[in-house]
């Protein structure tokens, strides 16, 4: 039975890979050659999100994840920082797990988790952003990316949430600090070693 589920999911992922992702406009990303400013250390005072995990943070706090190579980062944020004591950002580190275990939720469960957390306290002006890796010709990565983007777009549409996606620049992904993603206290989303926010 598990084999049939895996085959069906692979077929669905293959069909989803035919869709074109919607891109979030951004400025100065990636920066022109020679304009890279490395961040030697991650932001201080952050909450860490591990693989397969979803966390939310109060206004003024930062959410951080690392190790995004083939995994996907998803941010749901309010368009502006909320008042003191209010949640205004959620970060999820989605791993391409087809089979659910106690330690690793399935892809679909991971995507449901972020919206279940959001639904506890919806934001006044929500924005959902999928930050995904390039495929580099890998059909499985493309299928995973497009499946997550398609599902997230559907969930966002059901809630009247603005939606977009950003393909990550993997130039520095194999360097220390090159596979990290965070959303800071001002709702800026940063990726890798780039000093400028990507959204």
């Amino acid at each position: 039975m598990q084999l049939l589920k895996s085959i069906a999911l692979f077929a669905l992922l293959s069909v989803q890979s035919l869709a074109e992702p919607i891109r979030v406009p951004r400025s100065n990303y990636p920066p022109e050659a020679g304009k890279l400013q490395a961040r030697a250390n991650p932001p201080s005072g952050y909450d860490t999100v591990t693989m397969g995990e979803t966390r939310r943070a109060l206004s003024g706090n930062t959410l951080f994840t690392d190790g995004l190579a083939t995994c996907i980062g998803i941010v749901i944020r309010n368009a502006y920082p909320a008042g003191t004591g209010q949640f205004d950002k959620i970060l999820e580190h989605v791993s391409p797990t087809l089979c659910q275990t106690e330690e690793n939720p399935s892809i679909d469960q991971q995507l449901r988790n972020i919206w279940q957390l959001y639904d506890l306290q919806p934001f006044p002006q929500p924005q959902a952003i999928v930050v995904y890796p390039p495929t580099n010709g890998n059909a499985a990565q493309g299928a995973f990316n497009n499946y997550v983007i398609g599902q997230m777009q559907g969930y966002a549409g059901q809630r009247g949430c603005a939606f977009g996606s950003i393909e990550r620049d993997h130039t520095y992904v194999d360097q220390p600090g090159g596979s990290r993603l965070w959303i800071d206290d001002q709702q800026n989303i940063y990726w890798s070693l780039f000093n400028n926010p990507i959204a």
Side-chain angles (χ1 to χ4, degrees):
M1 184 64 167
Q2 192 65 26
L3 177 63
L4 291 175
K5 286 182 182 178
S6 296
I7 292 170
L9 182 57
F10 180 75
L12 179 62
L13 290 173
S14 297
V15 171
Q16 286 288 331
S17 70
L18 300 174
E20 253 322 289
I22 298 170
R23 296 187 179 11
V24 174
R26 54 195 181 267
S27 60
N28 300 323
Y29 178 79
E32 295 174 29
K35 293 190 176 182
L36 176 68
Q37 297 178 16
R39 289 179 174 251
N41 297 304
S44 61
Y46 57 84
D47 293 328
T48 301
V49 178
T50 61
M51 187 183 303
E53 185 180 26
T54 306
R55 295 189 76 172
R56 64 182 176 169
L58 295 170
S59 181
N61 293 344
T62 296
L63 289 171
F64 174 89
T65 193
D66 199 2
L68 288 173
T70 60
C71 295
I72 293 176
I74 299 176
V75 173
I76 302 177
R77 66 181 182 183
N78 197 43
Y80 54 87
T84 304
Q86 294 182 31
F87 291 102
D88 64 0
K89 65 186 71 68
I90 302 171
L91 177 62
E92 183 169 47
H93 184 140
V94 182
S95 69
T97 304
L98 293 177
C99 302
Q100 185 170 349
T101 66
E102 278 186 36
E103 297 167 2
N104 297 313
S106 68
I107 297 169
D108 289 320
Q109 185 59 53
Q110 291 175 73
L111 299 179
R112 284 191 297 270
N113 288 346
I114 195 167
W115 290 106
Q116 288 170 350
L117 193 55
Y118 170 80
D119 288 340
L120 294 174
Q121 184 181 341
F123 306 147
Q125 292 183 293
Q127 302 171 339
I129 302 167
V130 176
V131 185
Y132 64 96
T135 63
N136 296 324
N138 184 320
Q141 183 69 60
F144 174 54
N145 292 351
N146 288 323
Y147 181 76
V148 171
I149 290 167
Q151 292 296 306
M152 286 298 294
Q153 188 172 17
Y155 283 126
Q158 293 169 4
R159 292 162 175 81
C161 179
F163 176 80
S165 60
I166 299 171
E167 181 178 85
R168 303 188 305 248
D169 179 338
H170 270 212
T171 302
Y172 305 100
V173 76
D174 293 325
Q175 295 182 18
S179 62
R180 58 192 180 175
L181 178 78
W182 69 92
I183 177 169
D184 70 10
D185 59 340
Q186 296 300 307
Q187 308 301 80
N188 296 309
I189 302 171
Y190 292 91
W191 159 250
S192 188
L193 296 173
F194 299 105
N195 198 42
N196 294 325
I198 61 172

